Structures are given as structure tokens and as C-alpha cells.
Amino acid sequence: MTMELTIHEVANRLNLPWNTIERWVRQGRIPMQKSGNIYIMREAVMKKWAEAHNLSFFLSKKEIDQEKNLQPENLLPAMQRGSVLYGINGQTVEKVLKDAIDKIPDLLIKNKKELLATLIERESLASTGIGNGVAIPHPRTPLSEMHKNSAIITCFFEKPVDFGSIDNKPVFIMFILLSISVKTHLHLLSRLSFCVRNKLFIEFLKTSPAHDLFYAKIADYEKEIDQIGDF
Amino acid sequence: MNHQLFHIFRNTPVGRETLLQSIYFCNQVGIAPVIYIPKHAKFLMYFKNEVVQIDLDNSYLTAPDTAIQHASELLEQGGFKPRFYTPKHYTASTLPDINTEFDYMCCPRSISDATSKITLGNIGAKVRKIVKAAFFPVLLTSPVFKEWHSITVFFGGSANAVNALRLGLQISDISGMPLNILTRLEKKNTRRDYEKMVQDQNMEDRLNRHLNKWLFFDKGKFEENLYDVPHDSFVVLGAYGHGLIRNILFGSKMESIHSTIYNNLLIVGPNYVANRLSL
Amino acid sequence: MSIFKSWRNPFKWNFFRSDDRLLLILIAVIVGSCSGLAAVALNRSILILFDWLHPFRHYWWAFILPAIGAALSSIFLEKIVNEGAGHGVPEVVYSVSSYGGLLRFRSSFSRIISSCLTIGSGGSAGPEAPVVMSGAAIGANIASFFSLNDRQRIIIVGCGAAGAISSIFNAPISGLVFSIEVILGEWKASNIVPIAIASVAGTEISRFLQGNSIAFAHHNFDITFFDIGASFGLAIFTAVVTIFLTRSLKTVRGISEKIQIPLWVRAAAGGCAVGIIGMFLPVVLGEGYHFIGSMINENFTQGLLVVAIALFAKIFATSLTLGSGGSGGIFAPCLVIGSLAGLTYYRALAIIYPSLSWVNEGCYALLGMAGLISGMLQAPLTGIFLIVEITGGYNVILPLLIVSSVSTTLCHYIEPASFYLKALVAKGQLLRPGTDARVLSDLSVPELLERDCLTVNQNMRLGEFIHIIKKSRRNIFPVEDEKTGRFLGLIHLDSIRSYIFNSDMYNAVFLWQIMDTDVDKVYPDDDLSEILNIMDRKHLFSIPVVANNKFIGIISKATLLDQYRKELMVQTLD
């Protein structure tokens, strides 16, 4: 069956206001036919017409929706995907990173060597210790194998490690942030830093909570973020 | 909201009543009036497929020096900041073009005739032409200013009547006044058929919220039925569509309503587009 | 019933769905024939009226005949059909420019009747412009009847004009060229084909009813080298005459508009004056085609002085007739004045250089017409084709081209807009397709409105405002009154950048302290060109749109460029 489009649909697809299309119909610039009380146009005709006039257009409603709804996902799903690791060992940054990466489930990351190398490379530029005993290591560019979903791996340390943080406090927890794009990275990072700015949350983390408790807490904070409407 | 009602001001006592009615309507519906004080006895309105010349009679040009002041006084009493329309374009030096991008237009019952003729109950040919060509509904005011306390929609099932019903609902929504529907059973349609028409248009929920009563008539002359329209009700009706034969009918039905009841009428023409200019 | 409905909307027929060209050609035939018929009717009735009044011209009171005619025509236009005076061509061009060629039904006959009264009674005016108006109005109404869209309707209006000109002069190419050059202003195959068909239909109607006669047939001219040279001089002379005529029309109109008397009295006074001139020089009366014929065939025997006086008398009579409110066009008077000018030039030339053998005075009369028409309409092609067709001769084409083009150029130099379009150009209402003015007038404020601005209220603290900034994609923030929603002012991110990072101020500063209240704002029904003027003058990139004291959106130059480009692509690529 051929798709028949109304003025509003045509306007959507051409990314133009509908009153422009209405005027074009009146002026006879776009070949729409009157059917009953409304004007319609077949999809193929619209495509041909738009191409002839060098106008860009979207083919279907889905495409438009995709454009509009490209909201990056939130912390909780990424954390749940990334898993929570306890008792990470090591005295130096490199060692804790290596230990953590070894403990990451193989399903999530296959090329662990690449991940370690990129994380260390990033650390050598500047420490990812953001203060309050928290570090957020991440690769500089999205990993080659991460392309569908982002993941955050939460790692509780056995004992605090000197990360060279800005406030010189030793780090007791790190979130390895693996995102699919720079945009998602910034989105997740800003949400995460909102949480760890809160003293109560830091105290809560210091108790090395069980993962379901931890997830529940994150969910609470995310709700708060959404309420403020920030980020 | 940026809805506007276009009103041609006549600087006479009759014109005052009309303007008062327009202001009342604007207040109820939550729109702003735009006043045009004519400087020439004729103007053009360019619609989509038609250009209508409106010839006003000379009473519209009465005492131009006091017109602005009179209109401003009335508007300010009504709580509006006076806004006057100045035509930007002229087809000929004495023939201004009036924008047609309004949401409503107020017409005196007969635009081109002397005030005495208003009582004869003819809808002037020009008013009918405007109704036919316009995107906007046309407000025909009662000869004397009168407040209304309910809304009555004449619903006959045609596409225009559906538009009229939708508009009536909208007005009832904004003004909070109860809505009545008046239907004359025609062509073997039963009560059920009309209710189904409303259902098909997804208006049932809204209707249930606002509907006061739905009157059906199958007996008596149409004019006699009209007595059941409350005297203080605002009447919304759709004009019939085009087509040569229907034009004649369309005139007569509308005319008979118009000459029988003196309520304020809002007429939805065949070219009406709902919320066309909503911003 | 359904048959009745669909025949008025032929686009529903599958046959025409794919391509409207065939349908336009069919309608063009109808419109061309109708307007051709109107032209013949006007031509005939002027002749009949003129002949009927002829016996009375010997009486001493004959001078009031034009007065009566002009007064009647004025009363008819003002009181009966309620239309303004004037010849109507600007109205057609205006409507084509701004409203897709919509014209009133009454225009299709009003000018025919009024100009018949004016010209038939002896007023010095032409029947062409009224007939163009009528033809165009017939076209517009037929187009509306068939529910055509603007683009198609404009072509059909052009068809009406072309049919009228073709029929009245028995000159199909002139009709085509006039319609496209003056009325539509766009040379495109999709315009030319239906208009050509309408021209043919108009011409055929005229030939069928009046016979195929060339208006001013003449014998062959032998153009010499000297004549070519002399035609430059003639071009200059006709340009001077054109300017004189334009100025004279303007002056008389200006004077007559200052006199506060009823319109019909004014018209009668003008008619009276024309009648008095006409008693001494009958050449000024009516459209004057008869005299053109005699001039071209060298039967106009009066000497140089009489011809020169006649030239000025005709200019004066035309100005009086049209300026005082008579109904008619400038076309025919131009032809008469042009031939008188050519004749004057020839006679003068023959006196100055008696030894040279000039071709003959008929040829110069003819060239003079071309010069005047081209200069007045500033449409050189119309002038050239018209003269070639109405004189049935191709052998004068070389001097014709010279006179036409030089005269057009000179007149353009002094009067930048043609007689028909002057008023429109002055008001900025001449919107030719594909021009900047056209694109800007088509785009309207609601089409460009961007509504994704987040509004704030004046009692908000800077700290809360920071959160709003985070959410917004824009760098301007309209400030509204909390209760009434009134638009109070704007906050532009650029202007608060310096203290926005100072968190000490977050709780101390309210938005009413930092908002800019002296903002330029525009309304939804403002013209885009005016809005752009404001933006250019103030170096703004965006401007708020306000309706009923409420903010409804902004217009930004970035979006404007995007829309402007799309509009231009759609308008120019057909």
C-alpha cells in the first residue's frame, strides 16, 4: 500500500513549519491533491519532488523520532550492566586497574589488554581522581568493542590507593566509565559527579554496600537529578 | 495565546452595541479584539481562492475624529488594550486590503446596508460571501448587546457541523458555560446515528464533560423548534458546503435561523480550519 | 451530485493529475476567447458610440460631449460598481505579485463599460488597459471557478491579458510578449505555452468577428543608411516626449486631486477641457486610431507647426482625461502621440536637411509609435512586436530596434519605473518571481517562529536561572510577568556572562535586575522585510516576537537563512 501523507506529515518530513507547506499548496509549488477536506501526497511523489528541489527530507516517522529521542541513558542501567567489584587489590594505580580489569566478567570486555593500555594512557595525562576518595578512570576515546551500550564498573578497593587526586586524598573507590560516545560520556560523568559531590553518598560508599543496596541508592539519586531537571 | 477577533468599528450607537458584544465574546473566549476604523467605504479581503470586496455604507465613516476615542473607551472598559488595525497594502488608492489572518471576525448582521435593515433579518450577500470563503468563523452579533450564559450548537451531522460542535466545545471549555446541542432529525437518521457521529470524531469524552442537554426534534417546523433555544444562549452553527445547488439551500437554512432568533451567532464556514493560527 | 462537484475541480480527474499543462492549455483557450470577445465588444461599442455622436460634433456645444461621457463613466465606477478610477493594469500586476492573481468578478466588465463611455464620447484615452484588466479578471475568475492554485491562476490571468491585447490589435505575438513582459515578468516555458495559445484564441475571435485586417497597413519603405542614423535622433526625441507625457500626466493628476469637488464633477471638468481642445484639433479626440492610419499613409497634410501643436494638444488632452478621472488606458494615446512625434521629427528633419532623400514620413510616424510605447511601458519587446504586427511590415525592423531600445534606455534613466508599474515600485509592491522581495514577502513570521526558548519570570534568582540555562538550547531568555504573562524583557547570555560564574551572586541577584527591558520586538503580522531592517540596523541576530503583550517566540537569522534558501529553491525550480 502506498503511504499518503497529510500537510503536517509532509511538513515533518521536510523539517519545515506546516504553514509553509500550506502556503506552498495554495501557491501551487508542491503537488498535493485535495482529498475530501484535506490535502494529501503520496510518499513516492514527495520523495521525487524533494529530490528535484534539492530539499533534504526524512523518509519515515521512525527516523524523525530517532533524531529527536537520542537521549543518552542514565547511570543505573550502565552500572547494572557493568557490575560491582569488591576487594580490588594493589598499591599503585596501574596495579589496581589491572586487578579490576582482570575481575571484570569476560562477557563484558573481551580485549582486556587494550582497555588497560588505554586507561593507563589516560591516567598518565592527568589523574582521574576527582577528590573525596573517588576516581573515574575512562578511555580517551570510546573503546572499539563498545558500541551498543555504555557500562560503568564500580570497584571497591581493599585499602585506599594514592591516585594523585586533586585533593591528595587516597582513593577508595573507582568507577570505570566505558561509554559509547563522547556525548554519553559527558552525560554519565556529570550525573556521577553530582552523586559523589554529596558527602552522605561518600559515607555510604565507604561502607562497601552490597550491590542491590548500592543500586537502590543510585536510583534515588537519579530521581533527584531528574527532579531538579539538571543535566 | 495569540487569538484575535477582527472587528470593524462603526462610530454609531448601533456600532457601540456590536463592539460591546465583540468585547464580551473576546472576554469569554480569551482572545483579543483588533479594531478597524474604516477610512474608506470599501475594502478587499483576499482569501484562498476568492477575493471579496466589502462595501460598507457611509455610517461606518461617521465622525472619524471621535471614532478612535469611542472605541478605545469601550475596549478599556472591557479590559483590553486598544489595538487598531491599519491596512498595510492598497489594491487601489481608496481600496485597502485587509489581512485575513484572524481567528474570528465580527460582522454586523448586514454589512452593507443601513442600520434600519438589520431588523429585516437578511444576512447580507457580503457576509455570506465572507462566511463561505473564510478560514475563520464569523460572529454575527445580536442587534443589542446581550450577555449569554450558555452555548447552543446546531448539529446536523455535516462536516461543518462537526467543526461547529468542536468549536462550541472549545468555547464551552474556555468560558466554562454549559453546552446544549440541537439536532433536527433528518433523512431517517436516529438519535443513535448522531451520537455515533460524535463518537467517530473522538469528542465523546469532552462532550460528556460539557454537555448540558441534547435536544432532538422530529416534529414541527424548523422555525418553531428554534423557540427552544434559550434566549441568552450563544449559538454556534456550521454553514453548508459549497456546490451550486447547495449554495441556495445553505443560504435559506442559515437565513431562517438568522431571521428567527436574535441570539449571537457564530457561523463556521466550509473553509474553516480549526486552530489554524494557534500560536 | 458528485458529477457537479467534480467538474469544478478537474484536478481530481486522473487524467490531469500527473501534469497540469494540458488542462492549463484548455482553460487558456476558454479564457483567451472570452477576453478576445470582451476586446471586440469594447472596440465595437466605442466605434458605434463615436459614430452615433459624430453628427453632434458640429454644434457649438459639442465640447460638453466628452464631459458627459467622463462624468457618466466616473459615476458608474464610483457609485454603481464601487471601483476606483484608473486603468487597472497596476491592479492586475499587484494582484499577480501579492495575491496569486485574484481579481474581483466585477472588474471583468466594469472597465469596459466605463472606458467605452469615456472614449466613445471623445475623451482621449485608450481601450487597451481596460480590456487587459477585464481579460485578466475574466481569467482570474475562471481560474477560481476551476479551483486552480496560485501559480496556475497567475498563468491564466496572463492568458486573459494576452487574449485581450491580441484581439484588440489583431496581433498575437504582441499579446504574448506584453503579458509576459509586463504582467507576469517571468519568461518560462510553462508560462509561454498557455499564454501563446490564449493569444491565438483571442486573435482568432477578433478575426472571425472583424475580419483579418492589419490595423495600419502600408506600402514598403526603402530604408537608407541615413534613416538608420536619423533614428537615433528620433529615439532621443521620443524619449523626451515620453518624459514630458509622464510628467504632464502626473502634474494634472496632482492638481485635480487637490481640488475638493465630487469625482464626477472633476471628471466632467476634464472632459469639458478636452472637448474644447477637440473643437479646434479633432485629432485629440477618442482613441485616435483613424489618424494614425492617415499619418502612416501620408494623408496627414498639415504643416510642421500644426503637427507640433497637435502633438502637445494630444499630450495635454490625454493628461486631462486620465488625470481628471476618466477611464481608459495610455496605450492608444501613446500610439497617436508617437506618430505625431515621428511626423514632427520628420518634418523638422526635412527642413534642416532638404537635400537628403529620407524614406518618408509614414515610416517615421511608425518609428515614433515604437519609441513612445517602448519608453512608456519600458518594455522594448512589446513595442517592437506591436509595431511590426500592427503595421504588417518587417522591413522597418532595423530602425525599429534602434528607436525602441534607445528610447527605453533613456526613459529608464530618467523615470526608473514604467508608467504601469511606477506606483507599485514606489510602494515596494512589485514582487517579481524569484526576487529577494518576493521571497521575503512570501515568508511570514509564523513560519519562521522558533518556540524552543525557555521563559523565566522577573522574580527568579540568578541561581535558579542557572538551572534554566543548563536546560536551554538558546542563549536568549524572555522574561515574563509571573501573573499576567506579560513580556517584560530579555536576558541575553552574552550580557551576563561576566558574573554568571560568580556563585556569591546567585541568591543576591534577581532577574528583573539584569534583564534588558529596552528590547526591539516585532509582531506576528509584521512584514519580514521590516523585521530584517530592524535587525540589520541594530545588529541583532535574533528578535523576540510578541503578540498581545505575550512572548510567543523568536526569529533568528540562522533559521531565516535556512527557510529563505528552501523557499528560493522551491520558487525558482519549477
Side-chain angles (χ1 to χ4, degrees), chain C residues 290-465:
Chain C
H290 168 68
F291 293 100
I292 300 177
S294 68
M295 277 184 265
I296 288 176
N297 291 319
E298 299 170 52
N299 298 330
F300 199 80
T301 46
Q302 281 94 331
L304 171 63
L305 199 63
V306 179
V307 176
I309 290 171
L311 171 64
F312 286 102
K314 181 72 183 171
I315 292 177
F316 196 53
T318 308
S319 311
L320 277 173
T321 307
L322 298 182
S324 68
S327 176
I330 193 70
F331 221 102
C334 263
L335 293 178
V336 177
I337 294 167
S339 49
L340 284 168
L343 211 58
T344 313
Y345 182 73
Y346 174 81
R347 297 265 162 93
L349 213 59
I351 291 169
I352 302 167
Y353 303 104
S355 54
L356 290 170
S357 63
W358 303 104
V359 48
N360 65 32
E361 56 182 46
C363 178
Y364 277 86
L366 198 148
L367 292 177
M369 293 198 288
L372 232 82
I373 285 287
S374 310
M376 208 65 187
L377 304 189
Q378 297 196 3
L381 277 181
T382 307
I384 293 166
F385 280 110
L386 183 71
I387 303 303
V388 166
E389 283 190 299
I390 60 177
T391 56
Y394 190 70
N395 52 1
V396 286
I397 193 78
L398 291 183
L400 203 61
L401 286 174
I402 291 169
V403 173
S404 272
S405 41
V406 172
S407 167
T408 308
T409 315
L410 288 177
C411 291
H412 186 74
Y413 195 68
I414 300 167
E415 286 279 341
S418 76
F419 174 73
Y420 285 151
L421 309 177
K422 206 159 48 186
L424 291 177
V425 172
K427 283 188 279 181
Q429 285 172 343
L430 181 68
L431 311 165
R432 292 300 201 194
T435 57
D436 170 70
R438 179 57 189 266
V439 174
L440 284 184
S441 87
D442 275 349
L443 288 172
S444 65
V445 174
E447 289 175 44
L448 295 165
L449 205 59
E450 294 169 70
R451 301 155 198 269
D452 54 353
C453 275
L454 299 175
T455 53
V456 291
N457 66 60
Q458 88 270 35
N459 291 325
M460 205 180 247
R461 285 171 222 263
L462 186 57
E464 298 167 71
F465 180 53

Side-chain angles (χ1 to χ4, degrees), chain C residues 472-508:
Chain C
S472 174
R473 290 169 51 228
R474 300 244 160 227
N475 56 0
I476 64 171
F477 298 87
V479 184
E480 283 178 350
D481 189 270
E482 281 165 301
K483 291 188 202 89
T484 58
R486 243 178 94 91
F487 175 72
L488 299 171
L490 269 192
I491 298 181
H492 201 283
L493 216 48
D494 286 347
S495 56
I496 58 165
R497 218 180 280 281
S498 46
Y499 41 86
I500 200 169
F501 297 110
N502 184 349
S503 54
D504 297 335
M505 292 170 79
Y506 283 1
N507 281 325

Side-chain angles (χ1 to χ4, degrees), chain B residues 25 29 139-140 148-153 171 230 232-236 263-266:
Chain B
F25 174 78
V29 182
L139 173 71
L140 294 182
W148 28 275
H149 300 103
S150 67
I151 293 152
T152 304
V153 178
I171 294 171
D232 58 351
S233 189
F234 182 69
V235 175
V236 185
N263 298 39
N264 290 291
L265 301 176
L266 189 65

Side-chain angles (χ1 to χ4, degrees), chain B residues 2 47 49 53 88-89 97, chain C residues 82 94 104 153 525 547:
Chain B
N2 178 38
F47 292 106
N49 199 16
Q53 176 172 336
K88 278 186 198 143
H89 301 294
D97 309 345
Chain C
N82 254 313
Y94 170 69
R104 286 160 292 165
R153 192 188 305 115
D525 46 357

Side-chain angles (χ1 to χ4, degrees), chain A residues 39-65:
Chain A
Y39 284 95
I40 52 156
M41 187 179 201
R42 271 184 294 144
E43 196 168 21
V45 177
M46 192 208 89
K47 192 173 161 227
K48 209 171 134 199
W49 180 84
E51 271 165 1
H53 289 79
N54 256 328
L55 295 170
S56 52
F57 59 95
F58 305 102
L59 259 187
S60 66
K61 193 101 177 73
K62 252 188 224 154
E63 256 181 88
I64 306 163
D65 290 346

